[in-house]
Amino acid sequence: MSCIGVVDTTFARVDMGSVAVEELKNLLPHAVVKRITVPGIKNTVWGALRLIKDGCDAVIVLGWVGPTQVDKYSYLATSIGLIQLQIATGALVLDVTVHEEEGGGDEKKLKEIAIDRARKHAWNLAQLLTEGLEKYAGKGLRQGYPHAGEIL
Ligand SMILES: Cc1nc2c(=O)[nH]c(=O)nc-2n(C[C@H](O)[C@H](O)[C@H](O)CO)c1C
């Protein structure tokens, strides 16, 4: 039975971890889903490594990136860490982020973006681990927003 990891943060302003866990359990009812919540984005590399060492083949990391320059640098450092983690372990790490300014100041819209992104990337992860995504190639799929669609 495969193990899928979910890492999220207390820094996030929307509980994306619960959305991803629920979606993964629905899509992959036979998989074990393990979750670790860490304080902030830079701690997610440790969380993902722990889940991989604990037997997970793939991990979805749900990060919330604040609006300031130091937040963006924190994300860049994290993202490089998550790429290195994939190279070092061979496990798939899906690096999913919501940037606080995406809502344009509208918190309701920001929450909708975060929930949609977490749910659709959980679907991406489930699909990657089962049938693959080949039949969706070039379809303009978007996470957090409506799909853009293929240009015909
Ligand atoms: C500046 C900063 N920005 C973010 C952010 O945008 N998103 C986030 O999730 N966490 C942030 N943090 C917290 C760090 O990632 C980390 O939790 C602390 O530095 C403790 O190691 C920090 C310190």
Side-chain angles (χ1 to χ4, degrees), residues 9 11-12 39-43 63-68 70-72 74-75 78:
T9 70
F11 189 99
I41 203 160
K42 286 191 285 178
N43 314 120
W64 187 281
V65 185
T68 69
V70 69
D71 296 322
K72 304 308 177 196
S74 293
Y75 171 56
T78 300

Side-chain angles (χ1 to χ4, degrees), residues 26-70:
N26 283 337
L27 294 169
L28 301 170
H30 301 297
V32 174
V33 179
K34 294 184 182 177
R35 176 181 181 181
I36 292 183
T37 304
V38 295
I41 203 160
K42 286 191 285 178
N43 314 120
T44 61
V45 181
W46 171 84
L49 177 60
R50 219 183 116 167
L51 291 174
I52 292 165
K53 281 184 170 172
D54 213 14
C56 291
D57 322 299
V59 180
I60 183 168
V61 173
L62 300 155
W64 187 281
V65 185
T68 69
Q69 196 175 51
V70 69

Side-chain angles (χ1 to χ4, degrees), residues 54-146:
D54 213 14
C56 291
D57 322 299
V59 180
I60 183 168
V61 173
L62 300 155
W64 187 281
V65 185
T68 69
Q69 196 175 51
V70 69
D71 296 322
K72 304 308 177 196
Y73 287 143
S74 293
Y75 171 56
L76 179 60
T78 300
S79 194
I80 293 168
L82 292 173
I83 289 167
Q84 286 180 336
L85 184 61
Q86 293 183 85
I87 295 167
T89 64
L92 169 66
V93 179
L94 213 58
D95 173 4
V96 176
T97 48
V98 171
H99 289 255
E100 192 145 340
E101 62 275 24
E102 279 187 272
D106 180 341
E107 291 192 347
K108 187 169 170 280
K109 186 175 163 205
L110 185 58
K111 185 173 180 179
E112 284 168 8
I113 290 169
I115 290 172
D116 186 74
R117 187 162 298 155
R119 190 175 54 73
K120 287 182 182 165
H121 273 304
W123 178 86
N124 270 335
L125 185 56
Q127 201 67 26
L128 267 170
L129 295 172
T130 54
E131 296 165 34
L133 284 167
E134 286 71 16
K135 71 177 169 195
Y136 301 98
K139 298 295 181 201
L141 301 192
R142 297 291 184 269
Q143 297 80 30
Y145 301 98

